[in-house]
């Protein structure tokens, strides 16, 4: 491989530290209720792409589909060191499901020429589908090497150590390919002051559905293949009994468990 | 009655419990047809257990290459059978691999997909719990063949008689299935403890446990209670316990009858993976730890004195 042309998929999500809500009107994510941040797993995806670029040379393009304010997440990735960005933003995308999201992302990736590697997070903290990378492999006709805890590129081959509840699986395929990274893959770098300044000048292309040749009627809430019948917040859990250990803490717990018929 | 395709998850010639749960859910929607993708001889080993959980049919998709490839053999088989049998639904376990298979099958068949389902009703309406159990959502598939991934442990497996009539199926490799070679496997060695996502008791340790060696305190309590061991991300990151046992936002979601948190502060991301547990017990030396806000019974104290005493008391009662 001469140099690598890498695409990183990043998603802006509600901060897991804040309270996350669904809207009462259409059961979609209430994006105004919580602070929005780049999903932590996507910082790791950017980091891995940057490491590959540092080892092999090349370019890292960030792709994100989301509302206007997703530019903050994009700037973060650019300030870490990504070279340029594509932001897919269109009012008609509101309420898109996983399937539509995968199709739109695939169309956007196709607009970038000569892609060698698509790097994504393994699972988003809001939707938790954990399948967009596999679905992109399906749509783009590329091999999927997902849930990586280690990624290696040698020549035209990519090798991955996949880690899931089933254990470790060693995978190999020819480039181009789709890779997704897990939480244990790396520690993302902090943007430097220089990086933050440089990010302001990096090119961000904004694409609407028209630019991708997608009809607005094919996406969004109304066109989704699934529909929410109802949604309701669960009543929050209250605190129960709390005691100081006086040397009998273990005994007290057993007494409690026995009263609940749990032992 | 229409068929319901159930992808069989198997390991070492045994059916995973989550598949038996899927067969149980499938019976509410129609007649379960188990789909076995694997090396030659797989179906022969597991047919009986599928029959014992109501499988009317078993589609046998066996080949030498099935285990050398990732995900695509299952996708090819399910997509082909979905087209051929027009089933009421396709059910897959919501594991990392199951979700990847389901997403691709939904795309290939032009169908809707419901991701992390806790329950399914006869009319196909599924219940999901989102944002770590903060919301309960009911939804249904409106287009195509419903593809549904069910959270392991969410539905109780019930035995039922099924004919389990075998039918061998030849599945050509589809064009979209770009090969990924599996060059090696290091499967998780199943220990004597129940599986984390399916255990009725989970005992988890956090950073407060302090070291990998002292995690034996957590394991001993888990064993006394007949439960599984879990860990916070801080405990995993510090190398106290392996990553596949992580509970929380980016780890496993568990909802056992009893969850015991030892030396875990109860950060919102940890709570996201365990707050739907029936009963929560916490031991922490900090009276301000947020875990106490959701614990049914909390002890402010040192886990190294409280947990061993608890293990002993439980053993005495069980003794
Ligand atoms: C995007 C994202 C995803 C995340 N995903 C997860 C996840 O999946 N799972 C997860 O757990 N976390 C997750 N986290 C991390 C989470 O924010 C917390 O950092 C983590 O849960 C803290 O783990 P802990 O409670 O073990 O450690 P700490 O917060 O350090 O708490 C240790 C506790 O142990 C107590 N303690 C110490 N010694 C003793 C003793 N001898 N006896 C009794 N008590 C003692 C202390 O009082 C303290 O409360 C995530 C964070 C982010 C940003
Ligand atoms: N709207 C989006 N824009 C860009 N990337 C996305 C988007 N949704 C999902 N992804 C990518 O797919 C990964 C897995 O997401 P998911 O399958 O939704 O859990 C994320 O970590 C991102 O890398």
């Amino acid at each position: 491989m001469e140099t690598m042309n890498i695409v990183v998929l990043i998603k802006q999500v509600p901060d897991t530290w804040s309270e996350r809500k669904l809207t009462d009107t259409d059961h979609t994510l209430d994006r105004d209720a919580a602070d929005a941040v780049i999903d932590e797993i996507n910082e790791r995806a950017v980091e891995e792409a940057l490491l590959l670029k540092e080892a092999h040379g090349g370019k890292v393009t960030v792709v994100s589909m989301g509302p206007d304010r997703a530019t903050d997440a994009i700037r973060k990735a650019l300030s870490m060191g990504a070279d340029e960005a594509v932001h897919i933003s269109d009012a008609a995308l509101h309420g898109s499901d996983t399937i539509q999201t995968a199709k739109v992302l695939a169309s956007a990736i196709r607009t970038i020429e000569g892609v060698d590697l698509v790097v994504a997070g393994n699972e988003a903290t809001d939707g938790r589908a954990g399948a967009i990378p596999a679905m992109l492999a399906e749509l783009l006709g590329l091999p999927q090497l997902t849930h990586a805890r280690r990624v290696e590129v040698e020549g035209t081959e990519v090798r991955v150590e996949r880690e899931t509840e089933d254990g470790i699986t060693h995978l190999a395929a020819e480039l181009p390919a789709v890779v997704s990274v897990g939480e244990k893959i790396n520690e993302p770098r902090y943007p430097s002051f220089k990086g933050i300044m440089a990010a302001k000048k990096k090119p961000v292309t904004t694409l609407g559905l028209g630019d991708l040749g997608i009809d607005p009627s094919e996406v969004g809430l109304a066109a989704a293949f699934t529909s929410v019948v109802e949604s309701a917040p669960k009543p929050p859990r209250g605190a129960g009994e709390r005691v100081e250990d006086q040397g009998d803490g273990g005994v007290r717990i057993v007494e409690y468990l026995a009263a609940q018929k749990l032992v | 009655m229409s068929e319901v395709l159930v992808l069989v998850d198997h390991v070492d010639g045994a059916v995973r419990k989550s598949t038996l749960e899927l067969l149980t859910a499938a019976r509410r929607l129609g007649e379960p047809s188990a789909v076995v993708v694997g090396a030659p001889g797989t179906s022969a080993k597991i047919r009986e257990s599928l029959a014992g959980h109501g499988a009317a049919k078993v589609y046998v998709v066996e080949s030498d290459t099935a285990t050398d490839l990732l995900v695509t053999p299952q996708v090819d088989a399910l997509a082909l059978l979905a087209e051929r049998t027009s089933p009421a639904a396709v059910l897959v376990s919501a594991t990392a691999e199951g979700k990847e298979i389901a997403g691709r099958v939904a795309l290939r068949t032009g169908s809707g997909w419901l991701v992390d389902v806790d329950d399914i009703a006869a009319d196909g309406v599924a219940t999901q719990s989102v944002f770590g159990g903060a919301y309960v959502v009911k939804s249904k598939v409106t287009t195509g063949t419903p593809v549904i991934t069910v959270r392991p442990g969410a539905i109780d497996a019930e035995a039922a008689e099924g004919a389990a009539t075998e039918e061998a199926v030849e599945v050509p490799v589809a064009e979209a299935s770009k090969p990924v070679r599996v060059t090696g496997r290091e499967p998780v060695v199943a220990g004597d403890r129940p599986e984390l996502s399916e255990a009725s008791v989970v005992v988890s340790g956090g950073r407060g446990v302090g070291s990998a060696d002292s995690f034996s305190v957590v394991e001993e309590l888990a064993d006394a209670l007949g439960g599984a061991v879990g860990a916070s991300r801080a405990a995993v990151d510090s190398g106290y316990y392996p990553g596949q046992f992580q509970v929380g936002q980016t780890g496993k979601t568990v909802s056992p009858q009893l969850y015991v948190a030892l030396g875990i502060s109860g950060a919102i991301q940890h709570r996201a993976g365990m707050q739907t547990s029936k009963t929560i017990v916490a031991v922490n030396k900090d009276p301000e730890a947020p875990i106490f806000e959701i614990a049914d019974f909390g002890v402010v104290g040192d886990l190294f004195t409280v947990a061993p005493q608890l293990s002993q008391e439980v053993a005495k009662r069980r003794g």
Side-chain angles (χ1 to χ4, degrees):
Chain A
M1 176 92 350
E2 286 284 279
T3 63
M4 291 190 73
N5 189 359
I6 306 171
V7 166
V8 186
L9 298 176
I10 66 164
K11 187 178 187 188
Q12 192 184 44
V13 297
D15 194 345
T16 54
W17 288 106
S18 53
E19 192 190 349
R20 295 172 292 172
K21 288 191 175 149
L22 297 176
T23 56
D24 296 333
T25 43
D26 64 1
H27 315 289
T28 58
L29 177 65
D30 186 349
R31 293 189 187 269
D32 297 326
D35 295 335
V37 295
I38 177 174
D39 205 352
E40 190 199 53
I41 194 67
N42 293 144
E43 292 182 34
R44 298 181 200 271
V46 172
E47 176 67 30
E48 202 57 25
L50 294 174
L51 292 174
L52 286 167
K53 177 189 153 179
E54 280 156 17
H56 302 274
K59 191 175 80 173
V60 174
T61 308
V62 171
V63 173
S64 185
M65 165 181 143
D68 282 348
R69 69 171 178 176
T71 43
D72 295 343
I74 291 172
R75 286 292 163 204
K76 174 99 192 251
L78 292 174
S79 60
M80 286 174 73
D83 299 289
E84 50 190 78
V86 174
H87 182 184
I88 311 143
S89 181
D90 200 306
L93 287 168
H94 171 76
S96 291
D97 63 9
T98 315
I99 291 181
Q100 297 169 345
T101 303
K103 288 181 181 167
V104 173
L105 288 173
S107 314
I109 294 168
R110 284 196 201 100
T111 66
I112 303 167
E113 227 171 292
V115 174
D116 297 305
L117 196 67
V118 177
V119 185
N122 60 349
E123 186 171 288
T125 46
D126 56 351
R128 296 207 66 173
I132 290 278
M135 292 165 87
L136 286 172
E138 174 80 21
L139 290 168
L140 297 169
L142 298 178
Q144 77 163 79
L145 302 92
T146 45
H147 293 277
R149 65 164 196 185
R150 206 183 134 93
V151 179
E152 224 176 47
V153 172
E154 207 181 293
T156 58
E157 190 179 71
V158 51
R159 289 190 288 265
V160 151
E161 268 177 43
R162 167 183 171 94
E163 183 169 32
T164 66
E165 60 262 73
D166 296 334
I168 311 283
T169 314
H170 298 263
L171 304 172
E174 285 297 306
L175 295 175
V178 177
V179 161
S180 82
V181 303
E183 206 167 57
K184 304 293 174 278
I185 193 157
N186 60 37
E187 276 311 316
R189 68 194 65 185
Y190 287 104
S192 65
F193 179 70
K194 218 177 114 209
I196 293 168
M197 295 315 286
K200 297 190 170 140
K201 292 191 216 84
K202 289 178 176 170
V204 179
T205 312
T206 306
L207 299 180
L209 289 173
D211 302 305
L212 296 171
I214 296 172
D215 192 304
S217 68
E218 290 170 35
V219 294
L221 198 56
F225 289 177
T226 58
S227 83
V228 173
V229 183
E230 58 180 76
S231 79
K234 261 214 168 158
R237 262 190 116 98
E241 199 181 337
R242 194 181 65 185
V243 301
E244 291 276 339
D245 180 30
Q246 313 278 3
D248 61 348
V251 177
R252 297 287 298 271
I253 295 176
V254 168
E255 285 165 358
Y256 173 80
L257 295 180
Q260 303 295 316
K261 304 205 165 29
L262 285 162
V263 283
Chain B
M1 211 176 354
S2 27
E3 289 184 47
V4 180
L5 297 179
V6 169
L7 180 65
V8 176
D9 193 0
H10 56 88
V11 63
D12 297 333
V15 178
R16 284 225 166 89
K17 193 167 150 229
S18 59
T19 300
L20 308 179
E21 296 162 6
L22 291 183
L23 288 169
T24 306
R27 293 206 303 275
R28 299 177 195 161
L29 305 170
E31 215 170 41
S33 295
V35 180
V36 177
V37 180
T42 306
S43 178
K45 291 184 202 140
I46 60 182
R47 192 187 150 266
E48 204 175 314
S49 132
L50 300 172
H53 288 81
K57 269 192 205 160
V58 178
Y59 291 112
V60 183
V61 189
E62 293 179 347
S63 74
D64 290 319
T65 52
T67 49
D68 301 340
L69 300 172
L70 183 75
V71 171
T72 51
Q74 288 84 351
V75 177
D76 290 344
L78 287 176
L80 182 96
L81 285 166
E83 197 180 316
R84 200 179 279 176
T85 66
S86 309
V90 177
L91 304 188
V92 182
S93 295
T95 57
E97 188 165 307
K99 292 198 281 189
E100 296 187 325
I101 292 168
R104 296 184 70 151
V105 169
L107 274 178
R108 215 179 274 183
T109 58
S111 305
W113 170 34
L114 296 173
V115 180
D116 241 330
V117 159
D118 285 329
D119 206 7
I120 314 175
D123 59 0
V125 172
T127 308
Q128 291 157 302
S129 164
V130 301
F131 299 148
Y135 277 82
V136 176
V137 174
K138 291 194 175 183
S139 22
K140 61 178 196 298
V141 171
T142 49
T143 305
T145 302
V147 178
I148 303 176
T149 40
V150 183
R151 201 168 54 74
I155 292 174
D156 287 332
E158 287 159 23
E161 282 303 304
T165 313
E166 291 189 282
E167 183 182 328
V169 185
E170 207 51 71
V171 178
V173 175
E175 211 177 312
S177 302
K178 268 287 156 58
V180 178
R181 299 190 302 286
V182 174
T183 55
R185 286 184 200 269
E186 300 165 40
V188 170
V189 197
D192 297 334
R193 298 194 185 96
E195 231 183 284
L196 184 54
S197 52
E198 310 219 323
S200 55
V201 176
V202 173
V203 181
S204 289
R207 202 197 316 261
V209 177
S211 72
D213 283 345
S214 34
F215 237 80
S216 56
V217 172
V218 181
E219 293 183 324
E220 276 156 26
L221 180 54
D223 292 341
L225 291 164
V229 175
S232 72
R233 184 163 92 169
V236 170
D237 284 351
S238 309
Y240 302 168
Y241 222 64
Q244 79 254 26
F245 297 99
Q246 183 174 316
V247 171
Q249 175 77 59
T250 46
K252 281 268 157 56
T253 301
V254 299
S255 39
Q257 297 297 315
L258 172 64
Y259 187 88
V260 183
L262 302 174
I264 291 176
S265 63
I268 193 165
Q269 297 91 350
H270 186 79
R271 287 153 64 159
M274 46 65 77
Q275 63 194 0
T276 56
S277 304
K278 286 267 161 47
T279 299
I280 297 172
V281 169
V283 180
N284 195 304
K285 60 183 183 191
D286 174 9
E288 304 296 323
I291 191 75
F292 288 128
E293 292 163 17
I294 57 160
D296 299 288
F297 194 82
V299 173
V300 180
D302 189 336
L303 73 91
F304 292 105
T305 55
V306 177
Q309 186 181 64
L310 175 54
S311 301
Q312 269 179 10
E313 289 297 315
V314 172
K316 257 194 235 163
R317 280 180 190 252
R318 297 237 156 127

